[in-house]
Amino acid sequence: MSEHRRKTQPPQSGGRAAARRGQSASSGRRAAPRETTGSPSDSYGSPDPYGTGGEERAYGSRAEARRAAQRGSGGRRRGADGGGRGSGGGGRRGGPGGPEGPGRGRGRGAVPAKKRLVDYPRAGKYGVARWIPSWKLVAGMFIGFVGSLVAAAGVGYALVGVPDMAKTATAQNNVYYWADGSEMVATGGETNRQIINYSSIPKDMRFAVMSAENKTFETDNGIDPTGIARAFVNMAKGGETQGGSTITQQFVKNAMLDDQSQTISRKMKELFVSIKVGTSWSKEKIMAGYLNSAYYGRNAYGIQAAAHAYFNKDATDLNTSQCAFLAAVLKGATYYDPAGAVSVDPAATPEANTKRAEERWSWILDEMVKDGRITQAERGKYTTFPKVQSPRSNSALSGQIGYLVDLANAYVVNNSKDTGITAEDIQRGGYSIYTTFEKKKVDALEKAVTNVRKKNIKPDERPKTDTYVQFGGASVDPSTGAIKAIYGGEDATKHFTDNADQTGAQVGSTFKPFVLAAAMKWGVRNPDGDSEQAQDERTVASPDSLFSGKNKLKIKNYDGTVWTDDKGKEWLQTNDGSESVGTAPKYNITLREAMRLSVNSAYVQLGMDVGLDKVKESALDAGVLDSSLASSNYPSFSIGTSDPSAIRMAGAYSTFAARGQQRDPYSVEKVTSKDGTVFQHSTIAKSTEAFTPEVADNVTDVLKTVVDEGTGTNAKLPGRDVAGKTGTTDGNKSAWFVGYTPQLSTAISMYRLDDNENAKNRQFLEMYGTGGQEKIHGASFPSEIWHDYMTEALKGDPNEKFHEPEDIGKVVNAEPTPTAAPTPTPTVEDTPTPTPTPSATTASPTPTVTETCNVFSGCDNGGSDSNGNANGGSDSGTSATPTETSGEDTEGNGNTGGFFGGNTG
């Protein structure tokens, strides 16, 4: 306290204090000594300034008194004499009690702080301790939190209702539209379902489901806290939630079809409904509800519909093995239906699905034994996977419609990151899906295939050659990538594999344009460079570059060394018909002529000089999927041992038509629902430059020669520019024609394959004699279909022209310059059959002295292995059969033409 505010000390002889001292003295009582009053002044050792004998001022100021009060009792206490306030803890001294009783002092002590409901930050604490909550506060908050949760759970439990069995497993239609906005079909909402009583459900079906999905079903309370926590964590991470972990939760999820959003509120609702169902329903009712509402694939909801869809029998007649299979399918029909679902996911092939289903089926039976639900002896009866019938679709999906719907669904689901739509969402329906398909073009393509089939393919007359004949086709707009038409098979309700989307048929010489594009984009490597820098030097090849068209050409590495496989065997590449093509003695031929006549040896050696890694990169840049490519470790890679789909081949050729701009094929423009637009293709549409316009235009110009005067003349369209390439594979097991105009790119395939979806180790069959022809080429039925379709598809469209190509690259292997270059005239088939002329163009399938031309350093001797057999397979399987090198591609890439097999154009 400042000096000017300090009160003046009272005189020693006057005032109330003196009177009280006098009164006390007169009463014969003495003031308590310092020792008994506990006065803090003792510790300071100060004398009595007032001469009061033992009673002096306890503190020097009021501030000291307040601090002492906080350190001490903090309040007012009775004085030492029993009467006055303020003695002991603080304030002014209270007076002693009178003779009649204790007096009331008037001294002031420290004022206590008001109590707070939540003592935080804590009063009376300093530093870190002030911010550490007390155990009372922590305990109170915990009790309050738990109480609020209990209250919220009670409210939630009271508000939700239990599922109505009559309303479960219902779905809405999806409506599909043509490119012009007219309706194509409304489908997807049909509910193939019939509720049966619990007593009609085989006990083994109940046991199989419990062993596979919820072993504690009969004793648990219907929820799995661990599974629920996992779902919340997944949602917090932005991933997909997992399904219910118990049968009760799965049933509730199936029943809540009106709300399938993956949100916390929806999961909480599902939790409360599961708890309510678990406490109010019997286990029998829950099990019956689950099995009657679950989706088994093939548009079958419920065990009764599933029994008919897979086994064509009532549920009551299912045996233990069949029950185990249906329990396996519940894990996801897309991946466990043996028929496959490649339209939804390319990984869901019939073979892969069958393997997955067999493994899970066997595991479930074993689990049933472990759980004591069946005996080991019963398990021993079922060692063979049950036979499943082929799926059926509704009549609205007959013809090409089913393939179109599947393709649209697959696009939406496979791009779920952009569309936000899953396969389960599609099954529930409620979407309007606007496709890229043009009805006019779809009908024209189907008509073109049907006409050729009816006119030429007669399985009743020629069962050995004309059975299992399949066609596929696809048409893509180069300017957008939109798929305008497909041909998936005769009927989507009878033939279940979409031949336009995935077949496994090798593409043969239709792959050669990617080799040519690689030579023009990157160039051939320097064969003479010793330094690493020199080896990286490349020369862009022009279409006039010269390569050897010799039959049984010994293939060499770019540096001139002979290529050998891992067993040391050389590669001798043959041509179709075992004919050498070009100018003797080296049989040099330009790349343009080699493409026109589909000469294998020239393009196999070109691929080696460019580098098979660059050939692969060229195909990928054009739009071919990596998953469809064969091993690029073998020279035959350049002549089409890979098996892209018709859609991807049409899309890859459209990259050339678009002057090098690559656009992924797509089938859906827009998806809407009751909530508005769900997806718009323009949001992800993009193009990339796969090749420069100079490269693309030169490839187009070379392919135009094929149609104008080469193996593809059947595809000519009067008044229109057409570029294309024929392709036939080793063993005559598939034939292709892929071609384009500036407005449209179309691929047509033909092959023989037993489409029994349950058949294992399916093999492509030879087509010798098919359709009454000695041999099938890309120039025969495929080009005829292409021509008929494109004539109709382009009717009314302007006759656009290709761009004139600019000169590109240099003439590789220009020396020696041929003195004459007469070329053979191709037959109507896709087989180069050279006609001998006085200028020494020679066909020499079996020369007395075999010469193999190195494209850089001339010819050397060779041509057969030590056994006298050609190591190179021909384009179309007409080569001599090697004794030690024949067989399947050792890399497992489906090279059915044999290890050294080749493919023709």
Side-chain angles (χ1 to χ4, degrees), residues 289-301:
Y290 173 57
L291 294 178
N292 276 317
S293 63
Y295 183 66
Y296 295 78
R298 303 190 179 188
N299 200 38
Y301 288 89

Side-chain angles (χ1 to χ4, degrees), residues 824-836:
T825 301
T827 65
V828 294
E829 295 184 356
D830 183 16
T831 306
T833 307
T835 302

